[in-house]
Amino acid sequence: VQLQASGGGLVQAGGSLRLSCAASGSRFSINDMGWYRQAPGLQRELVATITRGASTNYADSVKGRFTISRDNAKNTMYLQMNSLKPEDTAVYYCKVDSTAVNGFRYVNWGQGTLVTVSS
């Protein structure tokens, strides 16, 4: 599975951005998907996850501001980020848990997209 993340950029505090993560490849089924972020000097942290059945989980720091969603037909996941704060500045990574036709499960990470929120 190859992942392509996009949608990052520079935005002022209070603004919005929408991240996308598209999975491509053949003969696989996507299970859970998630967004993680890593700010300079800090460890990578969970932002939000979504199951194939669309059950979601959010970090407390983003609840009420971020919304994760997915389009199973397009193998694509989204992160709508509203009311952005300078502390949301980080490289955002998508993570996908998939199952190949041979039954093996794989975890893949996207290349990361930079989100910078100015004060």
Side-chain angles (χ1 to χ4, degrees):
V1 175
Q2 292 79 46
L3 302 178
Q4 180 66 46
S6 61
L10 173 63
V11 64
Q12 288 188 332
S16 298
L17 282 174
R18 188 192 194 207
L19 306 183
S20 298
C21 177
S24 62
S26 61
R27 308 176 74 186
F28 67 92
S29 174
I30 294 179
N31 307 312
D32 294 350
M33 306 178 81
W35 289 99
Y36 293 73
R37 66 186 181 186
Q38 187 167 18
L42 298 179
Q43 291 188 335
R44 191 172 298 187
E45 63 176 3
L46 179 147
V47 176
T49 61
I50 185 167
T51 67
R52 185 169 182 83
S55 294
T56 59
N57 179 55
Y58 295 92
D60 288 343
S61 58
V62 307
K63 282 181 180 177
R65 300 188 297 120
F66 291 10
T67 302
I68 189 171
S69 61
R70 62 189 285 173
D71 184 334
N72 290 332
K74 296 181 179 179
N75 287 332
T76 301
M77 171 179 63
Y78 307 96
L79 185 68
Q80 178 66 43
M81 304 185 294
N82 299 328
S83 302
L84 282 161
K85 304 175 181 180
E87 51 263 45
D88 294 319
T89 295
V91 177
Y92 284 70
Y93 298 91
C94 56
K95 176 185 173 183
V96 168
D97 178 315
S98 62
T99 302
V101 292
N102 60 12
F104 286 105
R105 295 188 69 158
Y106 298 89
V107 175
N108 296 93
W109 290 86
Q111 84 283 9
T113 184
L114 177 62
V115 172
T116 303
V117 184
S118 63
S119 57

